[in-house]
Each structure stands twice: as C-alpha cells, then as structure tokens.
Amino acid sequence: MLVLNTFTILIQVAFIVFMTLLSMNILRYLTGGVKNMVAIAPALFVNHGGGPMPLLGDKDSIGLTKFLRDEVKKYVNLKELKAIILVTAHWEENKVTISSSEHHDLYFDYYGFPPETYKYRYDAPGDPELAKRIHAALTKAGIDSKLDPKRGWDHGVFVPMMLINPDADIPIIQVSVLSNQDPEQHYKVGQALYQFRKEGIAIFGSGMSYHNMREFRFSRNSGKVVNEEFDEFLNRACTSTDEKRKEMLTVWETQPGANEAHPPRAAEHLMPLIVVAGAGGANPAERVFNWDLTGTFRLSGFLWRNE
C-alpha cells in the first residue's frame, strides 16, 4: 500500500512539473518569443497623383483617392507597423539620401494650387536611429548614402500618407531616389532595405507607374489607354519571382512604350517602384491597384506581403 501511495505521489509530482514547464514555454512564447516572431512588413508601391489633387476631391483623381484612403488599409495592417521607409520620386540626389530628424516640416514642391494646399500638416514623427541604421545597411551593401536632417517631406510623402494614415502615428523615414535613374542601382537599394521588413518596418514607394507630363497635358480623355502595353509589362515583371523580376526591371527602357510612359532622363517616378520591387523578396507581388486616369493613363500599384 505504501509503495502504491509513493508511486501515486511521484506521478502527481511529475504531472505538476510537466505542466509547469509547459506553461513556462507558453508564457515565453506569448511574451519574449513573440518579439522574435514579428510578421514581415509589406513592400508597397503607390501612385501619388498630380500635386495635391487626390486631397482636393478632384473628380479625375477619385479612383486614386479612394484607393489611398480606403483600400490600402485592407492590404496593410497599419497597427502592426513599427515604421515606414518611404522612397519618394520627388527627391533626387547623386547619392541615396535619408531624412534623419525627429520632426520634418512639409515641403510644398508644387505650384499654382489653392492657398489651403500650402497649409497642410502631417506631424508623423521621424526616427533618427532608424535613419542611421538604414545608412549603415546601405553602406554595408556598397551603396553610397548620406543623412539629411533638414529637408522637409515632399508631396510624394505627405499627399499619400494623409490619405493612408491620417492619424500620423507611424514614424516615417523619407528616402531619395538617385538622379542617375539607373535601374540596377535602385533595385540594389531595395535589396538592402529588405531586411527591415523582418522587423515590422514597411517599405513604401511613392511615384507613378506612368508619368509623361506632355501627354498628361495634351492626351487627356483621348478615348484610349496610351500605355496599356507598358503597364502590362510592369505587371508581368512585378508578379515574377525575384531573379526574373530583377532581370526585367533592369532593362525596362527596352520595352515597347517605355520611353512614352517615362521619357528619357525623366523616369524619376518609376524609380520608387524599382526600389520597392528590390525590397520585395523572393515571391511575386500582387497588383492591388489598376485604374485609368481620365480613361487614358493606366496606373498600377503593387504589393509584396508574403515570404
């Protein structure tokens, strides 16, 4: 009888120890472990439109406004993001330049719009430490870069972000494109930024998948989509896996309609897409936006969110 009681006690002790260890592992998973299991943040390319037009209720921009205001949040969980690295077409430098202040005023780099469009505020914080880490990551990848604590956020940043996240509660690091408009170098920049997605930091590119200012002025409402073939090329490239995507985008200028969509030496609005594609990782993107401005200029947006 004594042996049986001792055996029962040992079983009970073993059960208690087992449950204690199990609960400790569960607790570790729910606390410290979760910190090491941050969901990979998305890489997203958006079209920012003409100046502040998406913010003004412009009828020709309504599809773009709706996407930025209502649709992006369906694809991107803003509450999960620790920060956003935002590559803007409206900042060209001879080396990659990174905004590095705790706060940035707005830089109204457009002309001839109503007075209220020069009074906008977007008070999202910067992140000087993250800016330094981006600088270090680019340097490690052999990419020349510098920090800039003074330049304000241009409309490639504040126009889409006022619609995407009006709460302005996510830190933003604004990053320039290169004035050489070299696609291979821009793709390499994106590859260097990819690592930050693993920390819950999103990579956004803000440009235009079609940007020909002359055609915007003179071919509106022409009754046909002028860049259909090139837009489909961008879709094929971005929805390809990494190596194929890189191969296609680095020779984008050789594609039919390329120079009509982005004239020579004026392709700055395509460069953020190439950076974001480089940050996309191994898997293909999905096209999350495809819309015709005035029925004439097809614009596409792309999202990479899975690994």
PDB file of all heavy atoms in Angstrom, residues 203-217:
ATOM      1  N   ILE A 203       8.226  49.047 -46.370  1.00  0.00           N
ATOM      2  CA  ILE A 203       8.897  49.815 -47.416  1.00  0.00           C
ATOM      3  C   ILE A 203       7.825  50.293 -48.386  1.00  0.00           C
ATOM      4  O   ILE A 203       7.158  49.484 -49.025  1.00  0.00           O
ATOM      5  CB  ILE A 203       9.932  48.962 -48.192  1.00  0.00           C
ATOM      6  CG1 ILE A 203      10.795  48.118 -47.243  1.00  0.00           C
ATOM      7  CG2 ILE A 203      10.777  49.861 -49.094  1.00  0.00           C
ATOM      8  CD1 ILE A 203      11.673  48.900 -46.325  1.00  0.00           C
ATOM      9  N   PHE A 204       7.619  51.592 -48.467  1.00  0.00           N
ATOM     10  CA  PHE A 204       6.670  52.179 -49.410  1.00  0.00           C
ATOM     11  C   PHE A 204       7.449  52.914 -50.499  1.00  0.00           C
ATOM     12  O   PHE A 204       8.447  53.587 -50.223  1.00  0.00           O
ATOM     13  CB  PHE A 204       5.750  53.197 -48.728  1.00  0.00           C
ATOM     14  CG  PHE A 204       4.639  52.609 -47.886  1.00  0.00           C
ATOM     15  CD1 PHE A 204       4.571  51.257 -47.599  1.00  0.00           C
ATOM     16  CD2 PHE A 204       3.644  53.435 -47.380  1.00  0.00           C
ATOM     17  CE1 PHE A 204       3.558  50.739 -46.817  1.00  0.00           C
ATOM     18  CE2 PHE A 204       2.608  52.935 -46.598  1.00  0.00           C
ATOM     19  CZ  PHE A 204       2.567  51.571 -46.316  1.00  0.00           C
ATOM     20  N   GLY A 205       6.968  52.792 -51.725  1.00  0.00           N
ATOM     21  CA  GLY A 205       7.474  53.605 -52.820  1.00  0.00           C
ATOM     22  C   GLY A 205       6.350  54.491 -53.315  1.00  0.00           C
ATOM     23  O   GLY A 205       5.232  54.024 -53.529  1.00  0.00           O
ATOM     24  N   SER A 206       6.635  55.770 -53.518  1.00  0.00           N
ATOM     25  CA  SER A 206       5.629  56.733 -53.958  1.00  0.00           C
ATOM     26  C   SER A 206       6.111  57.375 -55.245  1.00  0.00           C
ATOM     27  O   SER A 206       7.083  58.128 -55.266  1.00  0.00           O
ATOM     28  CB  SER A 206       5.420  57.800 -52.878  1.00  0.00           C
ATOM     29  OG  SER A 206       4.568  58.829 -53.340  1.00  0.00           O
ATOM     30  N   GLY A 207       5.416  57.056 -56.358  1.00  0.00           N
ATOM     31  CA  GLY A 207       5.774  57.604 -57.658  1.00  0.00           C
ATOM     32  C   GLY A 207       4.566  57.542 -58.566  1.00  0.00           C
ATOM     33  O   GLY A 207       3.431  57.769 -58.137  1.00  0.00           O
ATOM     34  N   MET A 208       4.786  57.196 -59.824  1.00  0.00           N
ATOM     35  CA  MET A 208       3.699  56.980 -60.786  1.00  0.00           C
ATOM     36  C   MET A 208       4.164  55.906 -61.758  1.00  0.00           C
ATOM     37  O   MET A 208       5.272  56.007 -62.311  1.00  0.00           O
ATOM     38  CB  MET A 208       3.370  58.266 -61.547  1.00  0.00           C
ATOM     39  CG  MET A 208       2.817  59.387 -60.680  1.00  0.00           C
ATOM     40  SD  MET A 208       1.070  59.191 -60.268  1.00  0.00           S
ATOM     41  CE  MET A 208       0.306  59.825 -61.768  1.00  0.00           C
ATOM     42  N   SER A 209       3.336  54.907 -61.990  1.00  0.00           N
ATOM     43  CA  SER A 209       3.739  53.865 -62.932  1.00  0.00           C
ATOM     44  C   SER A 209       3.704  54.377 -64.370  1.00  0.00           C
ATOM     45  O   SER A 209       4.315  53.781 -65.264  1.00  0.00           O
ATOM     46  CB  SER A 209       2.851  52.627 -62.780  1.00  0.00           C
ATOM     47  OG  SER A 209       1.497  52.930 -63.082  1.00  0.00           O
ATOM     48  N   TYR A 210       2.995  55.476 -64.608  1.00  0.00           N
ATOM     49  CA  TYR A 210       3.042  56.206 -65.880  1.00  0.00           C
ATOM     50  C   TYR A 210       3.261  57.671 -65.551  1.00  0.00           C
ATOM     51  O   TYR A 210       2.553  58.239 -64.719  1.00  0.00           O
ATOM     52  CB  TYR A 210       1.737  56.045 -66.669  1.00  0.00           C
ATOM     53  CG  TYR A 210       1.697  56.896 -67.928  1.00  0.00           C
ATOM     54  CD1 TYR A 210       2.171  56.389 -69.134  1.00  0.00           C
ATOM     55  CD2 TYR A 210       1.215  58.204 -67.906  1.00  0.00           C
ATOM     56  CE1 TYR A 210       2.162  57.176 -70.284  1.00  0.00           C
ATOM     57  CE2 TYR A 210       1.204  58.992 -69.049  1.00  0.00           C
ATOM     58  CZ  TYR A 210       1.680  58.474 -70.239  1.00  0.00           C
ATOM     59  OH  TYR A 210       1.684  59.246 -71.372  1.00  0.00           O
ATOM     60  N   HIS A 211       4.252  58.305 -66.212  1.00  0.00           N
ATOM     61  CA  HIS A 211       4.497  59.719 -65.902  1.00  0.00           C
ATOM     62  C   HIS A 211       5.130  60.399 -67.103  1.00  0.00           C
ATOM     63  O   HIS A 211       6.354  60.412 -67.273  1.00  0.00           O
ATOM     64  CB  HIS A 211       5.397  59.857 -64.678  1.00  0.00           C
ATOM     65  CG  HIS A 211       5.429  61.249 -64.111  1.00  0.00           C
ATOM     66  ND1 HIS A 211       6.415  62.160 -64.410  1.00  0.00           N
ATOM     67  CD2 HIS A 211       4.571  61.882 -63.273  1.00  0.00           C
ATOM     68  CE1 HIS A 211       6.178  63.298 -63.768  1.00  0.00           C
ATOM     69  NE2 HIS A 211       5.070  63.157 -63.074  1.00  0.00           N
ATOM     70  N   ASN A 212       4.288  60.953 -67.955  1.00  0.00           N
ATOM     71  CA  ASN A 212       4.731  61.714 -69.116  1.00  0.00           C
ATOM     72  C   ASN A 212       3.967  63.026 -69.091  1.00  0.00           C
ATOM     73  O   ASN A 212       2.788  63.084 -69.443  1.00  0.00           O
ATOM     74  CB  ASN A 212       4.444  60.932 -70.405  1.00  0.00           C
ATOM     75  CG  ASN A 212       4.932  61.648 -71.653  1.00  0.00           C
ATOM     76  OD1 ASN A 212       4.932  62.870 -71.729  1.00  0.00           O
ATOM     77  ND2 ASN A 212       5.330  60.879 -72.660  1.00  0.00           N
ATOM     78  N   MET A 213       4.621  64.087 -68.631  1.00  0.00           N
ATOM     79  CA  MET A 213       3.930  65.344 -68.385  1.00  0.00           C
ATOM     80  C   MET A 213       3.312  65.933 -69.652  1.00  0.00           C
ATOM     81  O   MET A 213       2.219  66.498 -69.618  1.00  0.00           O
ATOM     82  CB  MET A 213       4.896  66.356 -67.756  1.00  0.00           C
ATOM     83  CG  MET A 213       5.315  66.003 -66.343  1.00  0.00           C
ATOM     84  SD  MET A 213       3.905  65.778 -65.221  1.00  0.00           S
ATOM     85  CE  MET A 213       3.215  67.422 -65.204  1.00  0.00           C
ATOM     86  N   ARG A 214       3.982  65.792 -70.776  1.00  0.00           N
ATOM     87  CA  ARG A 214       3.425  66.316 -72.016  1.00  0.00           C
ATOM     88  C   ARG A 214       2.114  65.613 -72.347  1.00  0.00           C
ATOM     89  O   ARG A 214       1.109  66.263 -72.690  1.00  0.00           O
ATOM     90  CB  ARG A 214       4.416  66.148 -73.173  1.00  0.00           C
ATOM     91  CG  ARG A 214       3.863  66.609 -74.512  1.00  0.00           C
ATOM     92  CD  ARG A 214       4.878  66.441 -75.637  1.00  0.00           C
ATOM     93  NE  ARG A 214       4.262  66.740 -76.923  1.00  0.00           N
ATOM     94  CZ  ARG A 214       4.083  67.946 -77.409  1.00  0.00           C
ATOM     95  NH1 ARG A 214       4.474  69.010 -76.717  1.00  0.00           N
ATOM     96  NH2 ARG A 214       3.515  68.131 -78.589  1.00  0.00           N
ATOM     97  N   GLU A 215       2.100  64.294 -72.221  1.00  0.00           N
ATOM     98  CA  GLU A 215       0.885  63.539 -72.535  1.00  0.00           C
ATOM     99  C   GLU A 215      -0.226  63.831 -71.521  1.00  0.00           C
ATOM    100  O   GLU A 215      -1.403  63.868 -71.878  1.00  0.00           O
ATOM    101  CB  GLU A 215       1.185  62.042 -72.598  1.00  0.00           C
ATOM    102  CG  GLU A 215       2.061  61.643 -73.774  1.00  0.00           C
ATOM    103  CD  GLU A 215       1.439  62.032 -75.104  1.00  0.00           C
ATOM    104  OE1 GLU A 215       0.236  61.764 -75.318  1.00  0.00           O
ATOM    105  OE2 GLU A 215       2.150  62.640 -75.932  1.00  0.00           O
ATOM    106  N   PHE A 216       0.144  64.023 -70.263  1.00  0.00           N
ATOM    107  CA  PHE A 216      -0.865  64.395 -69.268  1.00  0.00           C
ATOM    108  C   PHE A 216      -1.596  65.663 -69.703  1.00  0.00           C
ATOM    109  O   PHE A 216      -2.801  65.813 -69.495  1.00  0.00           O
ATOM    110  CB  PHE A 216      -0.217  64.628 -67.895  1.00  0.00           C
ATOM    111  CG  PHE A 216       0.028  63.376 -67.089  1.00  0.00           C
ATOM    112  CD1 PHE A 216       1.195  63.218 -66.362  1.00  0.00           C
ATOM    113  CD2 PHE A 216      -0.908  62.357 -67.039  1.00  0.00           C
ATOM    114  CE1 PHE A 216       1.422  62.084 -65.611  1.00  0.00           C
ATOM    115  CE2 PHE A 216      -0.692  61.209 -66.293  1.00  0.00           C
ATOM    116  CZ  PHE A 216       0.480  61.080 -65.578  1.00  0.00           C
ATOM    117  N   ARG A 217      -0.856  66.581 -70.314  1.00  0.00           N
ATOM    118  CA  ARG A 217      -1.459  67.861 -70.702  1.00  0.00           C
ATOM    119  C   ARG A 217      -2.295  67.757 -71.983  1.00  0.00           C
ATOM    120  O   ARG A 217      -3.350  68.375 -72.098  1.00  0.00           O
ATOM    121  CB  ARG A 217      -0.356  68.909 -70.905  1.00  0.00           C
ATOM    122  CG  ARG A 217       0.374  69.309 -69.631  1.00  0.00           C
ATOM    123  CD  ARG A 217       1.305  70.479 -69.888  1.00  0.00           C
ATOM    124  NE  ARG A 217       2.076  70.821 -68.694  1.00  0.00           N
ATOM    125  CZ  ARG A 217       3.340  70.453 -68.488  1.00  0.00           C
ATOM    126  NH1 ARG A 217       3.969  69.745 -69.401  1.00  0.00           N
ATOM    127  NH2 ARG A 217       3.971  70.805 -67.384  1.00  0.00           N
TER     128      ARG A 217
END
